[in-house]
Every structure is written in structure tokens, then in C-alpha cells.
Amino acid sequence: MAGIEPTTPGFAIEAIRPGAKRKEVPDGKVTGLYWVVQPSGAKSSALRYRFAGQPKKLTIGGYPAIGPADARKAAQAALGELARGNDPAAQKREAKVAARAAARAEERAELDVVEKVVDEFIERYAKPNTRDWKETQRLLRKDVVATWQGRRLSEIGKADIHRLLDKMVDRGAAVTANRTFAQLRKLCRWAVSRGILEHNREGIEAPTTERPRDRVLDERELALVWRAAGELGFPYGQIVRLLILTGARRDEVAAARWEEIDLEKRVWNLPAERSKNRRAHSVPLSPAVVEIIERLPRFEGSGFLFSAGKTPPTAFSKAKARLDALITEQNGGEPIPHFVIHDIRRSVASGLASIGIPLHVIERALNHVSGSFGRIVSVYQKHSYADEMRSAFEAWARHVERIVSGQAASNIVALSLARG
């Protein structure tokens, strides 16, 4: 065979000198074992044999990492497999494939741990793509991580998910169960796209069917909320009153910054990145709103209207419980029907309509993107309605003042907002 040189009885691997071409030197002690010497001087061992009538080669390893004794032992073991009808080279390839698969499985197992997947999902998907990522993080950590911490996400099946959601429903958190399920479904889809999961958990439906909320506070209830907010104190009392006067969303008001407020022009410029619909919105400020804002404390080092720190206030559950207690106290010990903070926004919309504000002005004032300003209308309708919105909010502030003082009557004569 070309390139193969015979060995001498006392040959030493170190003594084999490289040539201009690659050469193979028989070991001389184990049949078929050769020492491969490259022109560079690199040396390795290999076993040549025949399997199923075909010549085969099994690379054993490089020298000096694998010396003569180890190479001969490996060659003899391979010859033993050959005697049992197995192909040593094929076995080696299969072992490598299995080792790579095991390594990938081990790596995936580390990434697959529920709490790690949640953290990765928040950092790589929720934060860059969603404005309310903190709520997503809260939902997933509170129930998903708390229930399955330490487990692999790939091991979580449909039955596990149903048990989790059922427990949430049973404890009276049906709506939260729906919200958690929605975020868990997003998480699993993301994990599939990243190769963390092989398959999504399809065929699971939301645990409960939600009915759209239609709770609207009547004038008497709105007056009770306004008065109770006055006893609630900073910052939640002022936040609730601004919600009543502007119809803005809770988090938009709570996270308002001084740089957004133009008291001279009496405008609150809500940036697109803080708006739920990601559309910038200029809110005309009625004198009543300006008065509330002017009385707010200023905190050095904080740009927030309602916080001295680096984050806006978030303890709305406790504040709402306190607000409910104050309303009950002012109502002679009788609570009013349950409402949530967001119902105030719906109540403002209803209240604006009740005093004669046109629907398209209400929608613009509340920064709605559906209804009158949806689809093609939003593309061509560029009128700002700034004057109409200012008149609407000022009329609404006067109406709130009247109902709080007990002077309002239902169906006040419609206000004309036509300008020029």
C-alpha cells in the first residue's frame, strides 16, 4: 500500500520522521493499527479493517494525547466489536451524534427551566415590544413561576396548565386567570420560535368567558368618588380626580411627567410611547385640572407629578380598597355597586355625551382610535379638534362641580361646540 512503511522490532513513534507526503506506519503489535504521520509532523493512530466486504478506517486519536498503549487497547476493543458483527467506525459516528444530542438536550434543559424562560421572554420580547411588560412579568411570576419553579417548560403539559388555571378560577381570580393564560400562550409561542420548545400547547382555551364591562357611574356615584378622593390624600386622591376630569387612562395619569405639562398653554402633551394606542395626544386642561396640578408638590430629582422616586405610583389595589371604604363611609355605611378604576373613563365618556358633546369630539378627547376615527377616517381626518376638546373638558369640569355640589340635573341642555 502506498504511503505505508514497515516498522522495525524496536521502533519508537518519536523516531518516525515526517516526509514530503502523508504516510502510515504499521504498529507491528496490533493487526490493522497504523500510525499516521503528516508532513507537518502531526501524528495519530488509526485502525484499518474490512466490514461487509468494504475497506474501513477508524481514527483512534492524535499523539501524544493517545499513546501506543491506549491506541492498542482501543484498536483491540474495536476488533472485538468487529468480531461480534459490529462496525466500529459506524459505532463511533453514532456515539458522536448521541453525544451532540445529549449536549444540546443539556443546554436546552438549562434554558428550559420555567423561571429562566420567563426572564428571557421578558428581556428579549416583552420589554422591547410591549408597553405593559411589567404587568406581563407580574402575571407570569406570580402564578406560573411560583407554581412550576425548577421544572422544565417542555415537561409542562395541558393537564398542568388546566390545573393552574382552575386553581386561579377557584380562588376567585377568573379574570387574572384569563390574563395569565394569554401571556403564557405568548410565552410558549415565543419559546417555540426560539427552539426552546419543540411544540406549542395548542387546543387550550381561556378558562372563563369574559363579558365586556359596561359599568358606568351615575352622577351621584361620581360625586361620591370625587369627595372620597379628596380624603384619600396624595398621590391617589389627585390621580382619581384627574381621571374624572380628563377621562384619561389610569397609568397615563399616574406616570405623568412635568415635562409633559404646559401650564402656560394649559395642555398636557401625552407622548406616543406612553399612550396605550401609541398615538401622541394633547389633552386640553380645564381650569379645575390646572388648579389640581399647580397644588402638587415638586420633588427634586424626580420628573413625575405623583412620585418622589424613579418610578410612578403603582399601589392601586390598596388605594382602591381605601377609596371604597371612604365612599361607603360617606354613603351612610352603604357601599355602591362594585366598580374598577377604568370604569371612571367609561363614565366620563357617558357623562360627556349626557351634556351634549358630539361623539366624534368625545372620541378625540379620549384619544380613541376606533369609532369615528377608525380605519380610513383616521388617515384623512387631520383636524385636531383642539378648540372643541377644550370646550368639552371645560364644560365637563363645570358639570362635575355642579354634581359634586348637588346642583346638577340630568340631561343638561346641549352645548354648542361649533367654532368658526
Side-chain angles (χ1 to χ4, degrees):
M1 183 179 294
I4 297 181
E5 298 180 359
T7 60
T8 58
F11 114 104
I13 297 174
E14 294 84 353
I16 304 176
R17 295 286 179 259
K21 297 181 178 180
R22 174 183 178 279
K23 59 185 178 181
E24 294 184 3
V25 180
D27 176 70
K29 291 190 175 181
V30 176
T31 302
L33 177 61
Y34 291 84
W35 292 95
V36 182
V37 183
Q38 305 291 348
S40 64
K43 300 170 183 177
S44 61
S45 53
L47 178 69
R48 288 191 175 277
Y49 62 96
R50 296 185 72 83
F51 183 81
Q54 298 296 321
K56 300 280 184 174
K57 177 185 174 182
L58 173 67
T59 299
I60 295 176
Y63 175 85
I66 297 180
D70 290 334
R72 290 162 185 155
K73 184 183 295 185
Q76 288 170 339
L79 291 172
E81 289 297 326
L82 184 64
R84 286 189 282 274
N86 300 319
D87 183 357
Q91 287 182 321
K92 183 177 181 180
R93 287 194 299 271
E94 292 168 1
K96 283 185 176 181
V97 171
R100 284 196 294 269
R104 285 195 298 268
E106 185 177 351
E107 181 181 358
R108 184 182 298 161
E110 293 202 1
L111 294 174
D112 194 12
V113 177
V114 169
E115 56 267 32
K116 290 186 178 180
V117 178
V118 168
D119 289 345
E120 189 82 357
F121 173 71
I122 296 299
E123 289 298 322
R124 300 201 178 272
Y125 176 81
K127 280 187 179 181
N129 298 294
T130 62
R131 191 173 59 87
D132 57 349
W133 65 268
K134 288 186 178 179
E135 177 62 9
T136 298
Q137 184 181 59
R138 185 190 70 81
L139 288 170
L140 292 176
R141 285 182 175 177
K142 181 178 180 182
D143 286 287
V144 173
V145 172
T147 302
W148 298 327
Q149 187 166 11
R151 291 185 62 182
R152 294 179 59 184
L153 184 61
S154 58
E155 296 174 348
I156 306 298
K158 292 182 180 181
D160 297 296
I161 295 173
H162 280 300
R163 278 194 294 270
L164 170 65
L165 298 175
D166 288 345
K167 285 181 180 179
M168 296 177 70
V169 172
D170 291 345
R171 74 170 190 241
V175 173
T176 301
N178 282 354
R179 301 292 181 272
T180 301
F181 169 68
Q183 296 305 324
L184 179 60
R185 184 163 52 185
K186 280 185 185 179
L187 170 74
C188 290
R189 287 173 180 168
W190 175 84
V192 170
S193 72
R194 302 279 293 193
I196 298 172
L197 281 182
E198 294 293 335
H199 306 287
N200 202 354
R201 305 301 183 262
E202 301 292 351
I204 302 177
E205 297 182 355
T208 59
T209 301
E210 293 183 43
R211 295 176 57 189
R213 290 191 61 83
D214 56 5
R215 174 78 163 100
V216 174
L217 298 163
D218 61 28
E219 291 183 351
R220 179 175 173 277
E221 291 172 332
L222 201 61
L224 284 168
V225 174
W226 177 275
R227 296 191 193 101
E231 300 294 323
L232 195 57
F234 181 85
Y236 296 100
Q238 289 88 339
I239 290 174
V240 170
R241 285 189 169 182
L242 288 187
L243 291 175
I244 292 174
L245 292 172
T246 65
R249 297 177 177 88
R250 186 196 73 182
D251 291 344
E252 292 172 352
V253 172
R257 302 181 68 89
W258 286 106
E259 63 195 39
E260 301 169 0
I261 307 297
D262 188 335
L263 289 175
E264 183 178 347
K265 294 182 179 180
R266 293 187 298 143
V267 173
W268 170 24
N269 295 303
L270 179 67
E273 59 268 21
R274 287 215 314 105
S275 171
K276 182 178 180 180
N277 57 32
R278 298 193 178 275
R279 188 178 74 176
H281 183 45
S282 294
V283 184
L285 304 180
S286 66
V289 172
V290 171
E291 182 179 356
I292 291 174
I293 293 175
E294 287 181 333
R295 291 183 178 182
L296 293 175
R298 296 257 188 164
F299 301 104
E300 186 177 353
S302 175
F304 293 109
L305 270 66
F306 300 106
S307 172
K310 295 182 179 180
T311 57
T314 57
F316 284 98
S317 295
K318 292 181 180 179
K320 177 59 166 53
R322 176 63 178 151
L323 182 68
D324 289 340
L326 290 168
I327 291 171
T328 299
E329 181 180 325
Q330 292 189 17
N331 197 36
E334 290 292 327
I336 65 174
H338 175 71
F339 74 97
V340 298
I341 293 294
H342 189 71
D343 292 335
I344 294 175
R345 178 173 166 86
R346 188 179 302 104
S347 303
V348 173
S350 178
L352 285 167
S354 76
I355 63 173
I357 308 300
L359 177 59
H360 63 278
V361 176
I362 296 173
E363 290 182 337
R364 182 65 86 190
L366 299 185
N367 199 21
H368 281 168
V369 293
S370 56
S372 300
F373 294 98
R375 299 180 182 177
I376 194 169
V377 177
S378 64
V379 176
Y380 294 102
Q381 179 56 272
K382 300 301 181 183
H383 180 51
S384 68
Y385 287 89
D387 292 338
E388 292 88 340
M389 286 193 295
R390 185 171 297 281
S391 295
F393 279 128
E394 290 181 357
W396 173 245
R398 292 193 295 271
H399 182 68
V400 170
E401 182 180 3
R402 284 193 291 268
I403 66 174
V404 170
S405 63
Q407 299 175 2
S410 299
N411 299 319
I412 289 182
V413 178
L415 301 173
S416 174
L417 298 177
R419 293 293 181 92

